[in-house]
Amino acid sequence: MSVAGHQVEEPEDREASFSALLEDSMEDLYDNAPCGYLSTLLDGEIAKVNATLLTWLGYRREDLVGRRSFADLLSVGGKLYHETHYAPMLRMHGEARELALDLVTADGHRLPVLVTATVKKNQDGDPLLVRITVFDARERRAYERELLRARREAERERERLQRLTSTLQRTLLPAELPEVLGLEIAAHYHAASSDQVGGDFYDVFPLDADRWGFFLGDVCGKGPQAAVLTSLTRYTLRAAAVHDTDPVAVLSTLNSVLRQRHDPGAPRFCTVVFGLLQPDGDDFAVSLASGGHPPPLVIRADGEVDVLTTPGGQLVGALPDAHFVATSARLTPGDVLVLYTDGLTEARRADGLMLGEDEERLPALAAGFAGTGARAVVDSLAEVLTAWADEPSDDTAILALGPRPPEAR
Amino acid sequence: MSGLRITTAAEGTTHRVVLTGELDHETAPELERTLARLPQAAGHRLVIDLSGLALCDSSGLTTFIVARERALAAGTGFELTAPPPPVSRMLRVTGLDRVLLARHPQDA
């Protein structure tokens, strides 16, 4: 019989050739098996041991049989484990499987092994002796040590990354918000990830003696590229506002800058609100422009909430001739202007519902915080966020500006 | 089970892509690859049907912006149709509705 030129042996021939190879002596198989064999009495005294294990340990048979117990072969830690786990397991279950132990060789070296033991019983079920197999686990133990080392190294790397990330994140947010006479300013930043720099940003800064610029936005993406984009956006906004304070002009400049190194396959864009703030008596006049950003709210002292929409304003950096739309508002003492990123409105409840799914929800919630001041509004919104989504999955920035009542200045 | 199902069909020179599910940072690259493989030429049209889209995040917007730029460069018409309310709102807030959504005669 021939298949593709190969001779295939008949079954009888194969049995004959196996037979010649097979162990003809069970004693030889026992002695020279590729694992250690050991039989002990119930008290642990070694009754029988194979040559493989003797070779591994460097003992002569007469050193062990009738003279030493299995526990004598173990390291100090192994003896303890034998006492607390191995022996009780054998007594209760009649077997102990794949225990990782260290044997100590005649010359004092440790030999990591995997031990499996079963209790041999007589016909009446009374225990007679313990049979033990011992597998050399040096390579496995080395592998486990390597795994452990790699894991510790990864944990250290992760800690380093988190430190780096939080440091970088701090450089992208103002260290402290400026003091503006008569104005309370408060901000909140929630970073969704501790090992990735978030893409939300905000700032408040002086333009001249009595004018202030502010912005809040969200760049696309996360991580190092988002950090670079955030940095570029922040500095561009501040520089552009010095050149021309008109909020629409500021956003147009940012759009040009983001388009300058335009890569069609990896657009760099952000949504941002840029505004100017100017004291006027006890009030503050605000003019702002939005580039595709969720509309700011003005929470009036009396509980009314104005949504400062800028219909048609487009995100910044995505389109060559992006269109930006301005609006203005007057803040009287007790009013609070609130800017926020979509981490707040797109926060998802456990059932998947977004906080801003109903566009009336945020203004309605905000109305409840009327008259409490900028700090309290920010803190309340931060509480709303964590109450809505246990672990908000997106970064969230909130910035609030509110004229203080004259008597509180 | 979240995820995005993408089906494409060609009718003459119009390629219609129907999206069902969630378009986010995990699924956007697959859509990006699918759109990049579609043949584009002057006079062709690429229509993306969003009616089955349960979620679209900024990665999704990025994908649409990239696809639109590539289409325009090739002379291919590009439009999104039938966005469900949350996606429609996102397009409106970001001002992309004017450039990405199909223009109806009454808007012209």
Side-chain angles (χ1 to χ4, degrees):
Chain A
M1 190 166 72
S2 152
V3 179
H6 292 282
Q7 287 298 122
V8 178
E9 292 175 33
E10 295 297 328
E12 306 90 82
D13 297 343
R14 297 181 55 146
E15 261 175 40
S17 60
F18 276 155
S19 177
L21 287 171
L22 285 170
E23 318 285 349
D24 47 2
S25 153
M26 292 311 283
E27 199 53 37
D28 180 60
L29 172 62
Y30 175 84
D31 242 1
N32 298 306
C35 63
Y37 283 125
L38 194 68
S39 301
T40 74
L41 305 182
L42 294 174
D43 65 1
E45 182 184 325
I46 296 171
K48 194 174 178 188
V49 56
N50 78 343
T52 304
L53 188 57
L54 288 170
T55 307
W56 286 353
L57 293 174
Y59 284 117
R60 293 170 302 164
R61 199 174 302 268
E62 53 269 35
D63 295 334
L64 300 182
V65 173
R67 303 183 70 123
R68 309 286 285 275
S69 74
F70 176 59
D72 293 336
L73 301 178
L74 297 173
S75 64
V76 176
K79 282 190 177 73
L80 198 64
Y81 191 81
H82 180 273
E83 202 65 31
T84 56
H85 290 80
Y86 174 93
M89 218 184 298
L90 267 186
R91 272 199 301 277
M92 286 173 64
H93 305 295
E95 65 172 14
R97 304 183 74 86
E98 295 199 17
L99 301 181
L101 294 170
D102 280 352
L103 300 185
V104 179
T105 64
D107 59 6
H109 286 101
R110 278 166 177 254
L111 175 70
V113 291
L114 279 183
V115 168
T116 293
T118 56
V119 175
K120 185 195 177 191
K121 293 176 178 169
N122 66 13
Q123 285 176 329
D124 300 330
D126 299 321
L128 293 177
L129 50 83
V130 182
R131 289 169 166 163
I132 303 168
T133 57
V134 178
F135 288 93
D136 182 347
R138 275 175 297 197
E139 292 202 5
R140 180 185 164 124
R141 207 67 62 84
Y143 173 66
E144 284 167 352
R145 268 198 304 276
E146 180 59 23
L147 275 187
L148 193 63
R149 195 196 60 72
R151 201 177 89 180
R152 288 197 181 126
E153 181 65 19
E155 279 166 2
R156 274 196 297 275
E157 284 298 330
R158 188 176 153 81
E159 280 167 22
R160 262 202 291 276
L161 176 63
Q162 287 180 344
R163 272 200 304 279
L164 180 66
T165 302
S166 67
T167 305
L168 184 54
Q169 189 82 68
R170 280 198 300 276
T171 69
L172 296 175
L173 294 172
E176 54 186 28
L177 293 165
E179 291 288 330
V180 178
L181 189 66
L183 190 73
E184 189 185 9
I185 306 177
H188 170 79
Y189 191 90
H190 167 83
S193 160
S194 58
D195 48 11
Q196 277 205 311
V197 179
D200 288 6
F201 59 91
Y202 61 84
D203 204 357
V204 182
F205 58 99
L207 276 169
D208 47 39
D210 67 342
R211 277 194 307 176
W212 305 81
F214 62 89
F215 56 78
L216 175 141
D218 181 0
V219 304
C220 64
K222 272 184 184 293
Q225 282 173 322
V228 170
L229 186 52
T230 302
S231 187
L232 176 64
T233 298
R234 278 171 50 83
Y235 290 112
T236 303
L237 287 171
R238 288 184 77 138
V242 170
H243 180 66
D244 181 349
T245 56
D246 171 26
V248 168
V250 170
L251 294 188
S252 297
T253 301
L254 177 61
N255 195 63
S256 305
V257 168
L258 295 185
R259 301 282 305 173
Q260 264 165 19
R261 283 189 289 154
H262 178 58
D263 170 1
R268 301 186 303 168
F269 62 82
C270 64
T271 69
V272 60
V273 170
F274 179 90
L276 289 177
L277 195 65
Q278 190 162 17
D280 182 8
D282 291 339
D283 299 349
F284 279 83
V286 172
S287 61
L288 58 82
S290 171
H293 196 81
L297 305 177
V298 178
I299 309 173
R300 301 293 180 190
D302 65 1
E304 285 291 308
V305 174
D306 296 339
V307 180
L308 302 184
T309 54
T310 48
Q314 294 174 319
L315 36 79
V316 189
L319 305 164
D321 303 308
H323 180 65
F324 305 113
V325 176
T327 186
S328 62
R330 190 174 185 84
L331 304 179
T332 62
D335 294 348
V336 175
L337 168 67
V338 186
L339 292 83
Y340 54 92
T341 56
D342 61 9
L344 178 61
T345 45
E346 292 182 8
R348 285 181 181 273
R349 212 164 57 179
D351 63 2
L353 185 72
M354 286 196 311
L355 190 143
E357 194 104 25
D358 172 358
E359 284 180 88
E360 300 299 321
R361 183 174 283 116
L362 186 61
L365 285 168
F369 311 139
T372 60
R375 181 75 257 167
V377 165
V378 167
D379 291 345
S380 300
L381 287 174
E383 279 173 29
V384 163
L385 174 65
T386 47
W388 188 268
D390 272 345
E391 281 193 19
S393 60
D394 200 2
D395 305 315
T396 305
I398 304 171
L399 175 66
L401 312 167
R404 297 178 198 273
E407 62 275 13
R409 294 183 182 181
Chain B
M1 172 70 195
S2 65
L4 180 70
R5 199 156 59 87
I6 306 169
T7 56
T8 59
E11 304 154 17
T13 55
T14 298
H15 288 275
R16 181 172 290 274
V17 179
V18 180
L19 304 182
T20 313
E22 301 188 347
L23 178 54
D24 56 19
H25 67 282
E26 282 180 18
T27 56
E30 189 195 342
L31 176 61
E32 166 81 33
R33 284 191 294 274
T34 304
L35 295 178
R37 277 198 302 266
L38 291 178
Q40 311 210 338
H44 282 213
R45 217 157 67 97
L46 174 56
V47 179
I48 304 182
D49 184 332
L50 307 182
S51 56
L53 211 49
L55 182 152
C56 175
D57 75 357
S58 65
S59 323
L61 283 188
T62 306
T63 308
F64 293 143
I65 290 167
V66 169
R68 174 180 174 272
E69 292 212 354
R70 192 171 35 232
L72 293 188
T76 297
F78 179 92
E79 63 194 45
L80 305 180
T81 62
V87 180
S88 176
R89 186 161 61 239
M90 185 177 193
L91 292 171
R92 178 160 45 78
V93 169
T94 55
L96 290 175
D97 50 351
R98 296 181 176 204
V99 290
L100 294 179
L101 285 185
R103 280 171 198 270
H104 297 292
Q106 63 265 31
D107 298 339

